[in-house]
Amino acid sequence: MKFQYENFSCDVETFEREQDIMIRFYDAAKEPDKNRISDLVIVDPGYGYLCLKFKGDAALLGGYLNEAFFKSDDAMEAVVAFIENLYPQTQNVYMPYHIDRVRKTGDVEYNGEY
């Protein structure tokens, strides 16, 4: 499944557990091929994750998205609309949301070699 906003497009996958849903925004082309995994694998964190929780007759949406790709408030509103279309049951309930726009500042890595 794909999310599209203006000139930006990314892959989306969801993980469901009971009433909780994790939504991952990423680039499938950067996923490691299991047949090519060797000593050094860079696991791309993607563009962000959101968590959708249903609580009685309400829902909560929160998480973070990479500011480099989700630059404007309109892009963030497009994400919320995308999720409402993906899960129509969110359209009939109160759903406050808080989505952080984050900027990468560095990383930590371990590959078993050092």
Side-chain angles (χ1 to χ4, degrees):
M1 142 180 35
K2 293 270 191 189
F3 169 76
Q4 174 103 31
Y5 177 74
E6 294 181 347
N7 295 328
F8 174 70
S9 175
C10 69
D11 299 288
V12 176
E13 63 184 351
T14 61
F15 307 91
E16 299 182 16
R17 182 176 179 268
E18 298 174 9
Q19 293 290 316
D20 298 338
I21 302 164
M22 183 67 67
I23 304 151
R24 177 183 178 220
F25 295 82
Y26 70 107
D27 181 351
K30 293 183 178 179
E31 291 289 290
D33 180 337
K34 69 179 182 177
N35 297 322
R36 295 186 47 160
I37 293 178
S38 58
D39 294 334
L40 179 61
V41 176
I42 304 299
V43 180
D44 185 70
Y47 305 118
Y49 294 85
L50 298 180
C51 182
L52 176 61
K53 295 178 156 291
F54 290 96
K55 301 289 185 182
D57 48 345
L60 302 170
L61 178 64
Y64 71 91
L65 295 171
N66 189 323
E67 179 183 58
F69 302 95
F70 297 89
K71 298 175 183 173
S72 68
D73 290 348
D74 289 342
M76 302 297 269
E77 293 296 328
V79 167
V80 172
F82 174 80
I83 291 170
E84 288 174 339
N85 288 329
L86 192 59
Y87 294 97
Q89 62 269 40
T90 61
Q91 297 173 6
N92 301 322
V93 300
Y94 175 62
M95 186 178 77
Y97 56 87
H98 178 96
I99 303 170
D100 291 321
R101 253 181 271 181
V102 298
R103 182 177 305 150
K104 181 178 177 179
T105 60
D107 53 62
V108 176
E109 178 180 300
Y110 172 75
N111 69 9
E113 293 288 316
Y114 49 88

